[in-house]
Amino acid sequence: MMEIANVSFPEVFILLGFSKRPSLEPILFIFVLGVYVVSVLGNGIIILVSCMDVHLHTPMYFFLVNLSFLDISFTTSIVPQLLVNLWGPQKTINYGGCVIQFYISHWLGATECVLLAVMSYDRYAAICRPLHYTVIMHPKLCCSLAFASWLGGLTTSMVGSTLTMLLPLCGNNRIDHFFCEMPLIMQLACVDTSFNEVEMYVASFIFVVLPLGLILVSYSRIAWAVLKIRSAEGWRKAFNTCSSHVAVVALFYGSIIFMYLQPAKRSSHEQGKFVALFYTVVTPMLNPLIYTLRNKTVKKALRHIVLENCGFGGTRGNI
């Protein structure tokens, strides 16, 4: 019985990653390490500023804190192992580490899809229902929506990842990617995976297609409301309110759609790794940059906090 278990579930997985391009690995190591540090610092600053400045205790920044924490967690679930594999000749990850990685990445990926939809609804309420905004987006609803996002992502991860983990692999342990992703684990199975594939497609529809549809509906309503605005100042406020979120949504969904809608050819698989590298490593770094560089409120709050901590608190009222 022990021998069957060992054959069905290997002790380690080999993550081939970018091993076909060994000369590229040192460059990728430096790049990924730099991006990871910036990502953690940037998202950490967003969380710190949003919690410390009372002017940012609003629904928009409450959801932004959730997004920043999610991005730190998501990239941390992948990057350390990627750096280890890029640094040395050993490209392995133990079975338990691989399982944990695809549980967490699946959970956080699904959560981000729902959270971005929730944030688009918040922007819809702010622009299309400004007089009722504080009534609609009250703290209890915000907490409920955030909790539902995290719980929904966790639920689909527990179901899909557990079904995948139960598949016998019959000794197959070579994953042609840089992290343990659920569809790639399914490809290693030595039994029929039709049921798992149906579950994955249903989950993808619920947690990717439906949230994207809600985002598009929200922004179509926002666009219609903005077209009715006559003043240039109104246009500017609407643009500042939505532009950062639109940029984040475009980056996140753009890379995912490109990744999963490209033709399933072997020649495009290497390209798919670089796209995956973008949405798992680069996008979490870009999110805080977008929200800080394009958002005057965040920049002003950050400047105030820095000045106060440097002993210039008295200058706050003059800025």
Side-chain angles (χ1 to χ4, degrees):
M1 189 70 178
M2 191 66 177
E3 292 180 359
I4 295 175
N6 289 337
V7 171
S8 299
F9 304 104
E11 294 183 0
V12 298
F13 287 97
I14 300 173
L15 296 172
L16 298 178
F18 302 95
S19 56
K20 292 182 181 178
R21 305 184 183 189
S23 60
L24 189 62
E25 288 187 329
I27 300 173
L28 283 176
F29 177 88
I30 296 172
F31 171 76
V32 171
L33 179 61
V35 169
Y36 177 62
V37 171
V38 173
S39 176
V40 172
L41 288 176
N43 283 291
I45 287 172
I46 289 286
I47 295 172
L48 182 66
V49 171
S50 298
C51 292
M52 290 183 65
D53 195 295
V54 294
H55 298 91
L56 301 183
H57 292 177
T58 63
M60 175 180 174
Y61 295 102
F62 170 75
F63 294 127
L64 181 56
V65 166
N66 277 266
L67 181 64
S68 294
F69 179 73
L70 188 152
D71 281 339
I72 291 175
S73 304
F74 182 62
T75 192
T76 299
S77 72
I78 294 171
V79 169
Q81 182 65 48
L82 172 59
L83 291 174
V84 169
N85 290 349
L86 287 173
W87 180 254
Q90 191 173 7
K91 311 295 182 185
T92 59
I93 179 174
N94 62 55
Y95 180 81
C98 188
V99 169
I100 291 171
Q101 192 176 73
F102 72 71
Y103 263 101
I104 293 177
S105 61
H106 188 189
W107 172 24
L108 299 179
T111 300
E112 182 156 358
C113 290
V114 179
L115 188 60
L116 289 174
V118 169
M119 293 174 74
S120 72
Y121 176 73
D122 172 65
R123 294 301 82 210
Y124 159 77
I127 292 178
C128 299
R129 305 288 297 277
L131 299 179
H132 302 91
Y133 177 67
T134 55
V135 176
I136 296 172
M137 301 303 296
H138 54 84
K140 187 175 181 180
L141 177 63
C142 292
C143 291
S144 298
L145 290 173
F147 179 75
S149 300
W150 288 93
L151 182 61
L154 178 62
T155 301
T156 188
S157 175
M158 292 297 292
V159 174
S161 299
T162 301
L163 289 174
T164 303
M165 187 180 69
L166 294 175
L167 292 172
L169 306 182
C170 302
N172 298 325
N173 69 338
R174 296 172 68 87
I175 301 174
D176 193 9
H177 214 304
F178 61 84
F179 72 103
C180 295
E181 196 174 25
M182 194 172 73
L184 297 174
I185 302 295
M186 287 169 56
Q187 291 176 12
L188 300 180
C190 53
V191 296
D192 181 49
T193 60
S194 299
F195 180 77
N196 298 71
E197 291 171 10
V198 170
E199 187 279 332
M200 185 176 67
Y201 291 139
V202 171
S204 297
F205 178 79
I206 295 173
F207 287 91
V208 179
V209 178
L210 282 183
L212 180 58
L214 292 173
I215 291 171
L216 294 176
V217 169
S218 295
Y219 276 101
S220 65
R221 298 292 297 273
I222 290 172
W224 181 252
V226 169
L227 289 174
K228 295 180 179 179
I229 298 175
R230 302 299 180 185
S231 66
E233 179 68 15
W235 277 70
R236 186 187 65 79
K237 286 184 178 179
F239 177 78
N240 289 338
T241 300
C242 298
S243 58
S244 297
H245 184 251
V246 169
V248 169
V249 169
L251 284 170
F252 182 76
Y253 276 101
S255 56
I256 286 181
I257 289 171
F258 182 84
M259 176 73 179
Y260 291 104
L261 294 186
Q262 63 176 330
K265 297 178 181 178
R266 189 174 183 83
S267 59
S268 66
H269 192 67
E270 286 297 309
Q271 185 184 38
K273 292 179 187 178
F274 287 98
V275 176
L277 190 68
F278 180 81
Y279 77 79
T280 57
V281 179
V282 178
T283 300
M285 176 201 69
L286 293 178
N287 289 352
L289 294 180
I290 290 170
Y291 275 103
T292 52
L293 296 179
R294 298 178 63 88
N295 193 307
K296 293 181 180 179
T297 307
V298 174
K299 288 190 289 186
K300 185 177 180 180
L302 180 59
R303 186 166 64 247
H304 288 163
I305 291 172
V306 171
L307 289 174
E308 286 179 352
N309 286 312
C310 290
F312 297 102
T315 65
R316 177 166 183 158
N318 299 323
I319 296 178

